[in-house]
Amino acid sequence: MTGTVNRAQRTRSLVLHLVCVVVGALIVVPVWFGVLGGFKDNGQLSTNPLGWPDPWTPSNYTDILTSGVFWRQLGNSLLIAVSSTFIVVAAAAMAAFVFARYAFRGREFLVTLFAIGLMFPFAVAILPLFVLLRGMGLLDNPLGVILPQAAFGLPITIIILRQFFRTIPAEVEEAAVLDGCGSFGFFWRVLLPMARPALATVSVLAVVTSWNNFMLPLVVFTDQSWWTLPVGVQAFQGQYTAETARVLAYVVLSMVPALGFYAVAERQLIGGLTGSVKG
Amino acid sequence: MTSPSTVSDTRRGDPATDPPAPGPGTARQRGRQPRPGRGGVLAIFLTPALVLFLLLVVAPILVASYASLYKWNGFGLPENFVGLDNYTRAFQDPTFRGDLWRGFVLVLLSLVVQLPAALALAMLLNQPLRGRAAYRLIFFAPYVLSEVTTAVLFDLVFSPNRGLGDAIATWLSADAGAVFADPDTVLYAVFLVVSWKYFGLYMMLFLAARQGIPKELSEAAVTDGATAWQAFRHVTLPLLGPTIRISVFLSVIGTIQLFDMVWVLTRGGPIHSSETMAVTMYEYGFRRFEVGYASAISIIMFLLSLVFALFYQRIVLRRDTAGAITNQGGQR
């Protein structure tokens, strides 16, 4: 009796594993193909797209890593991601504090306005945004990407933070006030430190969206020296259409920072996404 | 720092406990704080977000709706008022009508293929399974990659002659051809890449929701004689309702705005067979300088999202805030 149950269970778990391995392979194999492909030359890619490189040709990777263009794009992406994240989290935290803990006329209207903002993707606003940025002289200027990036990140950041700020009990605020805290003191010395997990979550989300943004930098930067990684990858592909192996190496290298960041911040990212859906 | 212990306790406990009722709770604590002018505090805290948002998000939408009424090349001020001509033009344009149709196909595919597959995987990963955490990590990883890198990678994976797809097809002695260059296959190929990147997100959402459902419920059903499938169909699935409905919402809104992936993979081609609204808008706005017409397309995209969102909120999501059982996971 127990024998059959065990066997049934074992088959079941085997099938589960099989499904997971197949799906996992669908995810991993294309990336693996890229990683190995970067170590081949084009001749090898045509005759042997699947197997191990023979011989290994690291020049695709080393050329990119020594050229400087890749590093500059990495630096640009980093600068833009960090500054826009800082701005959006700071501005959103302040607004969310007011939305969460103050009652005032027009509050619901403003909250709804920001919520509707979720419906404003770059694709909808990019054209007038471009005209506007041109008018302000912010084309080919990192601020032309950083500020809109921060602005478009406000809705989701405010929604998540507001939800979190509401959960901090009124007693904590009363205690802080008795101890002599004003609004600013409470916000700065009590609320923000308590909200550290939520702040980490929204920061990770903001970094990822900014890092992956393509349309805005594509439109704002005509000057190549400001290009971010997504724009750079796309341009590199256009430039070396015939050299598949080289492009593969560039794609793989551009994935490394994102995947590294994911490895470090996975918990915050997933917490934020699943949490925001509940909100 | 009077009582740091209560502070950390409440933080740790808050996902479980219900937050205080939003309306009255927020108003209450104001009475004790006479010091800084209330209006002043509000102004100082709200200004940065409002300025950014009004200037860089709301204003562009307003500008776009204004520009959409003009025939305008984007330079100088719009002068040639054409009323709603840009809108009627869009709806008569076979490309734009095709965009709507293709968007519909992509949404449909996502609803019948991507979301059910994500749901099934989430249910699998909810079982005790060795290496579960690793699988989860891998399935979700593509979500952090940009649409651009994903697109370039898959362009090469499916490239004729040097690609992985070609090699596999030869191995299966089938003819793969260039999936992104064939008008008959390109949309499905794009859908495949979109799914590769995003199914992990939906899987994770379902998984989180599934883990929020008490085990006892489906166990009780099974004890009462339900099969595993019946327990899933009649107990788990309804409880996942809110998350499923949100996922459908995200998927529709995402499809309306699809740009990066298509632009990098195909530029909308061949012969517009993978073009989306956003690609058409970009083409007219930034390549042909028909800014008025492109603005009209932007506004149509925005209105579609907005109308869909409002409709969805009213008709579909209302159940999640009103219902008794389906409100389990929600915090409202």
Side-chain angles (χ1 to χ4, degrees), chain A residues 185-270:
Chain A
F186 171 67
F187 175 71
W188 186 248
R189 299 224 298 264
V190 182
L191 198 70
L192 286 189
M194 282 179 75
R196 210 171 288 151
L199 292 174
T201 287
V202 291
S203 305
V204 168
L205 272 178
V207 167
V208 170
T209 29
S210 167
W211 190 268
N212 288 341
N213 195 348
F214 171 62
M215 208 179 199
L216 186 63
L218 174 73
V219 167
V220 171
F221 297 140
T222 46
D223 178 357
Q224 300 198 8
S225 57
W226 277 116
W227 280 355
T228 56
L229 270 177
V231 183
V233 168
Q234 187 242 5
F236 197 83
Q237 185 204 22
Q239 196 180 348
Y240 295 97
T241 353
E243 297 184 52
T244 310
R246 247 175 119 91
V247 181
L248 281 177
Y250 211 96
V251 171
V252 169
L253 287 177
S254 78
M255 286 178 173
V256 170
L259 291 177
F261 185 68
Y262 171 55
V264 176
E266 172 235 354
R267 201 163 273 272
Q268 251 74 34
L269 184 63
I270 288 170

Side-chain angles (χ1 to χ4, degrees), chain B:
Chain B
M1 295 295 106
T2 40
S3 57
S5 65
T6 35
V7 168
S8 57
D9 279 347
T10 46
R11 187 206 292 162
R12 218 167 283 135
D14 69 63
T17 57
D18 271 330
T26 42
R28 181 176 36 156
Q29 54 232 0
R30 284 301 309 148
R32 299 259 177 110
Q33 240 178 4
R35 258 184 302 168
R38 198 178 118 85
V41 170
L42 292 182
I44 291 169
F45 275 92
L46 277 177
T47 302
L50 269 182
V51 168
L52 269 179
F53 192 70
L54 292 178
L55 189 66
L56 294 172
V57 181
V58 177
I61 303 286
L62 297 179
V63 172
S65 45
Y66 175 72
S68 72
L69 303 174
Y70 289 79
K71 192 168 164 39
W72 183 38
N73 63 6
F75 296 94
L77 287 175
E79 283 171 349
N80 196 350
F81 184 79
V82 294
L84 294 177
D85 278 8
N86 285 324
Y87 291 90
T88 45
R89 176 180 165 192
F91 286 109
Q92 281 162 1
D93 178 359
T95 307
F96 184 77
R97 287 217 291 235
D99 293 346
L100 292 175
W101 170 247
R102 284 181 288 273
F104 176 72
V105 171
L106 286 175
V107 168
L108 206 66
L109 282 174
S110 152
L111 296 191
V112 298
V113 180
Q114 192 189 6
L115 295 186
L119 181 61
L121 269 175
M123 295 306 109
L124 282 191
L125 286 185
N126 190 49
Q127 320 257 346
L129 194 68
R130 204 179 300 160
R132 181 165 73 162
Y135 289 133
R136 224 176 337 191
L137 204 68
I138 291 173
F139 294 171
F140 187 69
Y143 178 73
V144 298
L145 300 176
S146 74
E147 287 198 8
V148 174
T149 39
T150 312
V152 174
L153 178 69
F154 273 87
D155 187 39
L156 300 177
V157 162
F158 285 120
S159 86
N161 304 325
R162 288 189 195 133
L164 184 61
D166 204 44
I168 294 175
T170 323
W171 187 54
L172 295 169
S173 55
D175 185 21
V179 283
F180 291 117
D182 182 345
D184 293 331
T185 53
V186 65
L187 196 61
Y188 304 102
V190 167
F191 170 72
L192 198 78
V193 185
V194 171
S195 302
W196 186 85
K197 178 166 155 50
Y198 287 107
F199 91 90
L201 167 71
Y202 296 114
M203 186 204 73
M204 207 55 93
L205 298 180
F206 292 141
L207 192 60
R210 177 69 183 84
Q211 290 175 344
I213 300 174
K215 265 208 183 77
E216 294 75 25
L217 290 177
S218 44
E219 277 171 7
V222 172
T223 319
D224 288 351
T227 62
W229 166 252
Q230 284 171 330
F232 170 75
R233 172 68 190 79
H234 297 288
V235 179
T236 311
L237 199 61
L239 288 172
L240 288 175
T243 311
I244 293 174
R245 289 191 276 277
I246 293 271
S247 303
V248 170
F249 178 77
L250 289 177
S251 166
V252 172
I253 295 287
T255 307
I256 292 178
Q257 295 146 9
L258 189 62
F259 173 80
D260 299 5
M261 194 83 92
V262 176
W263 185 251
V264 176
L265 274 174
T266 67
R267 306 262 142 129
I271 7 173
H272 303 299
S273 46
S274 63
E275 198 156 320
T276 59
M277 280 187 279
V279 171
T280 312
M281 182 278 298
Y282 186 87
E283 184 67 37
Y284 279 101
F286 290 96
R287 300 230 148 166
R288 307 194 198 176
F289 298 106
E290 296 195 35
V291 175
Y293 182 50
S295 300
I297 296 179
S298 309
I299 294 300
I300 295 173
M301 283 165 65
F302 168 58
L303 289 179
L304 277 178
S305 311
L306 189 69
V307 168
F308 172 73
L310 290 179
F311 167 83
Y312 205 75
Q313 187 96 36
R314 276 285 153 75
I315 311 285
V316 183
L317 294 183
R318 192 179 49 177
R319 286 202 273 169
D320 299 334
T321 41
I325 268 193
T326 49
N327 204 22
Q328 288 265 340
Q331 297 191 352
R332 268 178 200 164

Side-chain angles (χ1 to χ4, degrees), chain A:
Chain A
M1 186 69 198
T2 43
T4 52
V5 168
N6 272 345
R7 201 171 310 146
Q9 250 171 9
R10 213 174 305 151
T11 356
R12 211 170 112 91
S13 116
L14 207 69
V15 171
L16 292 188
H17 273 292
L18 202 68
V19 174
C20 286
V21 167
V22 168
V23 178
L26 288 178
I27 301 286
V28 171
V29 168
V31 177
W32 190 236
F33 162 78
V35 174
L36 287 186
F39 283 108
K40 299 174 180 174
D41 54 36
N42 282 324
Q44 280 191 57
L45 264 181
S46 339
T47 52
N48 172 27
L50 281 175
W52 293 95
D54 177 35
W56 290 70
T57 22
S59 60
N60 288 322
Y61 287 110
T62 49
D63 284 356
I64 294 165
L65 289 177
T66 50
S67 77
V69 175
F70 175 79
W71 296 106
R72 195 166 57 216
Q73 290 171 0
L74 186 72
N76 291 341
S77 281
L78 200 65
L79 167 79
I80 288 171
V82 170
S83 349
S84 61
T85 299
F86 176 77
I87 294 175
V88 70
V89 172
M94 289 163 67
F97 166 63
V98 170
F99 289 147
R101 308 194 78 94
Y102 285 70
F104 57 94
R105 205 187 308 159
R107 184 182 71 167
E108 286 318 303
F109 170 76
L110 287 177
V111 171
T112 313
L113 186 69
F114 277 107
I116 294 177
L118 285 175
M119 243 61 70
F120 297 177
F122 282 105
V124 167
I126 193 80
L127 206 53
L129 195 60
F130 173 80
V131 175
L132 219 73
L133 291 171
R134 192 177 59 192
M136 296 192 276
L138 287 180
L139 294 185
D140 278 326
N141 181 331
L143 281 178
V145 172
I146 292 169
L147 294 178
Q149 181 73 56
F152 278 80
L154 281 172
I156 187 72
T157 318
I158 289 181
I159 288 171
I160 297 177
L161 286 182
R162 177 180 187 232
Q163 200 75 37
F164 190 89
F165 289 165
R166 275 175 165 187
T167 63
I168 292 171
E171 289 76 24
V172 175
E173 183 166 353
E174 275 155 24
V177 171
L178 285 181
D179 287 353
C181 265
S183 305
F184 296 99
F186 171 67
F187 175 71
W188 186 248
R189 299 224 298 264
V190 182
L191 198 70
L192 286 189
M194 282 179 75
R196 210 171 288 151
L199 292 174
T201 287
V202 291
S203 305
V204 168
L205 272 178
V207 167
V208 170
T209 29
S210 167
W211 190 268
N212 288 341
N213 195 348
F214 171 62
M215 208 179 199
L216 186 63
L218 174 73
V219 167
V220 171
F221 297 140
T222 46
D223 178 357
Q224 300 198 8
S225 57
W226 277 116
W227 280 355
T228 56
L229 270 177
V231 183
V233 168
Q234 187 242 5
F236 197 83
Q237 185 204 22
Q239 196 180 348
Y240 295 97
T241 353
E243 297 184 52
T244 310
R246 247 175 119 91
V247 181
L248 281 177
Y250 211 96
V251 171
V252 169
L253 287 177
S254 78
M255 286 178 173
V256 170
L259 291 177
F261 185 68
Y262 171 55
V264 176
E266 172 235 354
R267 201 163 273 272
Q268 251 74 34
L269 184 63
I270 288 170
L273 289 167
T274 49
S276 68
V277 166
K278 282 182 191 165

